[in-house]
């Protein structure tokens, strides 16, 4: 993934800490409780702000040669780019498609897409996607009785 | 504690099936280069969600013990550690293999792992109930300090940069704040999203941080297949037994160091392996042979990393403070099951604790026969194409995370935290403290708020009791002493 210098990551963390503190100011105090709901998150935000500033300051004092961020090695290899992008694409595709197509069809399509993106040949990809979606159905739906999304393929099953 | 009842519970057909299946799963994941024991445990969590506590915890205990041993297999065959816990002696094991002693080194790995695992378990069985008796006298003030000490130790040990460790811990504590406030019922950091009212789903977070982050990392480096591994031939066990007999004190020393490091919050099997190997070399009569294919350090370190697993359950069960990332997952599972890890678990759920002890012994006994099979099958298992394996693991992660709440939103948590975990690790921020923060965050806030309410807002009450004051002193010392030592270290050269 992206390599970020301590200056870059420190500033991002300090920003998050500050945002947590600012948001906590909006929490109303409740009755006689000696601890406001804002106290604990405020404390967390303060520590994150402090850590972020310490990292950024440390980087400046060390005169870190690295720029704010450098592009990683894998971005130079198209096969790896495709494999890395396939991971979030599969999660998003499952989330969006499974309520529409049902579990079996989605699992088959997402597995097939993943395998092809990982450069497995089509025949193996088709066979593995078929077996894996059936196996997942067996484990989660049949054995553990989890009601996974119902779709047109499930409607055909006995 | 009734061990007969515990044995009956563990030997129920369903529990036994779960244990054997988890053992095979652990051996498989552990022997695949780059896939960790923690990842194996995280992948099991959605399945354990639907089980009773004993098979659920039994699955994780067995799977992790098997995975830590199995990590040694590709180390000896390919010079690639299966899990980070085997990294310390991977070069030594590979050199032994090249000298034609492959069966000997794998056999030593197996037997020493079982010895270490059983040693750690015996310490757990003897120490945990005694400590729990003491811990029962603790009030919320002592618990508050104890939780802070545990989190601090975990943070400082797990990262070479304490500020990055602290950042990771507080990111985890922040994630635990998201959702309805336990005292006031006020939504915090939910941004109006109903799905976040119940907080960040722990299972989704575990899968994201431990499984998907690792898959991202593997996907970024997957460009060449593994070389073909060598074949293990001949009788395996006898060769290892003679080496273990020769270095029996090393096995005992490795087991002792591993158990102690396991008990220490934050130091898990990885650190145990490194330290035991270093200690073995330091006290060896032939330190010059280390690194050239010498079995001595392998005995120490193989025993040590498995011993740490049992040790890590001591603080987890007694105080509810995880000793390593696997016990952080176990605490999460116990909380999901409605059990509160801590000394009361020994009085309220004594049978379950006894059953966990029995599972530990059984897992380490099963390690020998199943480990032998794994060694025999290693050549074929290591030929499995990683390009096919990673998509399969990802599909299990996705469906597992989704199945727990049937929630698409949980998938976005998996993705978000998977990406965050990947970025963090690549930039030197450790993941383990973040998970500890996420698991313990609510407990820390609750014990702090309850203590404050009890004390009427008077913070002096936190150090009013002698034990609480001592623990507070230890907590501040943990943070201040390293910085003082570092400053002193900087000044000494200047003065001279």
């Amino acid at each position: 993934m992206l390599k970020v210098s301590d200056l870059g990551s420190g500033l991002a963390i300090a920003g998050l800490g500050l945002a947590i503190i600012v948001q906590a100011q909006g929490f109303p105090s409740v009755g006689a409780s000696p601890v406001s709901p804002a106290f604990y998150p405020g404390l967390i935000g303060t520590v994150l702000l402090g850590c972020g500033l310490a990292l950024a300051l440390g980087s400046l004092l060390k005169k870190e040669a690295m720029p704010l961020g450098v592009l990683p090695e894998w971005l130079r290899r198209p096969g790896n780019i495709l494999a890395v992008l396939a991971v979030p694409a599969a999660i998003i595709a499952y989330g969006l498609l499974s309520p529409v197509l049902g579990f079996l069809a989605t699992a088959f399509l997402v597995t097939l897409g993943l395998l092809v993106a990982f450069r497995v040949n089509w025949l193996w990809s088709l066979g593995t996607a078929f077996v894996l979606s059936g196996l997942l159905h067996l484990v989660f739906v049949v054995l553990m009785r989890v009601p996974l999304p119902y779709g047109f393929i499930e409607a055909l099953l006995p | 504690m009734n061990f007969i009842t515990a044995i009956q519970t563990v030997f129920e057909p369903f529990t036994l099936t779960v244990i054997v299946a988890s053992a095979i799963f652990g051996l498989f994941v552990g022997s695949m280069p780059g896939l960790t024991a923690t990842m194996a445990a995280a992948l099991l969590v959605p399945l354990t969600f639907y089980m009773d506590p004993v098979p659920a915890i039994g699955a994780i205990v067995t799977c992790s013990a098997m995975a830590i041993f199995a990590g040694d297999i590709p180390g000896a065959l390919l010079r690639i550690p299966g899990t980070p816990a085997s990294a310390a002696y991977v070069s030594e094991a590979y050199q032994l293999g090249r000298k034609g002693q492959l069966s000997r080194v794998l056999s030593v790995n197996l037997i020493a792992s079982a010895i270490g695992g059983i040693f750690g378990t015996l310490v757990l069985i003897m120490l945990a109930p005694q400590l729990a008796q003491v811990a029962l006298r603790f009030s919320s003030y002592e618990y508050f300090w104890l939780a802070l000490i545990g989190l601090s130790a975990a943070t400082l040990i797990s990262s070479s940069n304490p500020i990055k460790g602290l950042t990771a811990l507080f990111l985890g504590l922040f994630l635990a704040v998201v959702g309805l406030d336990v005292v006031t019922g006020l939504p915090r950091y939910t941004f109006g999203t109903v799905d976040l009212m119940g907080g960040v789903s722990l299972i989704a977070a575990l899968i994201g941080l431990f499984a998907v982050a690792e898959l991202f990392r593997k996907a970024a480096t997957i460009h060449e297949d593994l070389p073909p591994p060598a074949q293990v031939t001949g009788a395996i066990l006898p060769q290892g037994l003679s080496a273990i007999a020769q270095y029996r004190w090393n096995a005992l020393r490795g087991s002792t160091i591993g158990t102690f490091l396991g008990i220490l919050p934050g130091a898990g099997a990885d650190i145990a392996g490194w330290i035991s190997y270093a200690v073995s070399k330091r006290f060896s009569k032939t330190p010059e042979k280390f690194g050239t294919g010498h079995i001595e350090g392998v005995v120490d370190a193989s025993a040590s990393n498995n011993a740490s697993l049992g040790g890590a359950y001591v603080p987890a069960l007694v105080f509810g403070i995880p000793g390593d990332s696997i016990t952080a997952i176990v605490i999460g599972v116990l909380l999901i099951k409605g059990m509160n890890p801590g000394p009361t678990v020994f009085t309220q759920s004594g049978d379950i604790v006894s059953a966990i002890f029995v599972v530990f012994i059984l897992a380490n006994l099963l390690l020998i026969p199943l480990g032998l099979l794994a060694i025999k099958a290693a050549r074929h298992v290591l030929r499995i194409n990683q390009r096919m394996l990673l998509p399969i693991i990802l599909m299990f992660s996705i469906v597992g995370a989704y199945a727990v709440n049937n929630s698409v939103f949980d998938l976005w948590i998996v993705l978000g935290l998977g990406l965050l975990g990947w970025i963090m690790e690549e930039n030197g921020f450790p993941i383990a403290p973040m998970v500890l923060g996420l698991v313990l965050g609510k407990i820390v806030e609750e014990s702090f708020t309850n203590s404050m309410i009890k004390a009427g807002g008077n913070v002096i009450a936190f150090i009013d009791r002698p034990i609480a004051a001592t623990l507070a002193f230890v907590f501040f010392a943990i943070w201040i002493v390293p910085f003082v030592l570092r400053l002193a270290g900087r000044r000494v050269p200047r003065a001279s």
Side-chain angles (χ1 to χ4, degrees), chain A residues 1-4 6 16 20 23-24 30 35 37 39-41 51 74 77 80 88 94 111 118 128 144 147 149, chain B residues 47 164 167 171 184 188-189 216 219-220 222 387-388 395 398 402 406 411 422-423 426-427 441 445 448 452:
Chain A
M1 191 50 188
L2 201 67
K3 292 262 187 197
V4 187
D6 283 356
L16 175 70
I20 293 171
Q23 179 85 9
V30 178
V35 187
F39 176 81
Y40 184 67
C51 285
W74 60 269
R77 293 188 296 264
N80 287 111
Y94 183 88
T111 311
F118 273 74
T128 310
M144 297 197 318
Chain B
L47 301 177
K164 289 189 173 178
T167 304
L171 282 175
T184 60
R188 294 185 297 185
Y189 304 99
F216 268 120
I222 194 161
R387 294 171 192 280
M388 281 183 71
M395 284 310 293
I398 294 173
Y402 177 87
N406 260 346
L411 291 180
W422 184 31
I423 297 171
E426 290 291 304
N427 288 286
E445 186 179 8
F448 175 74
M452 283 295 276

Side-chain angles (χ1 to χ4, degrees), chain A residues 104-143:
Chain A
L104 277 169
T106 309
F108 176 82
L109 290 174
V110 174
T111 311
L112 183 66
L114 265 173
L115 288 162
V116 170
F118 273 74
R119 291 191 186 167
V120 175
N121 74 47
W122 272 96
L123 207 60
W124 271 102
S125 297
L126 278 168
T128 310
F130 184 77
V131 173
L132 184 67
S133 44
L135 182 70
L136 287 166
H137 180 83
L138 179 75
V139 172
F140 285 95
V141 179
V142 179
L143 293 178

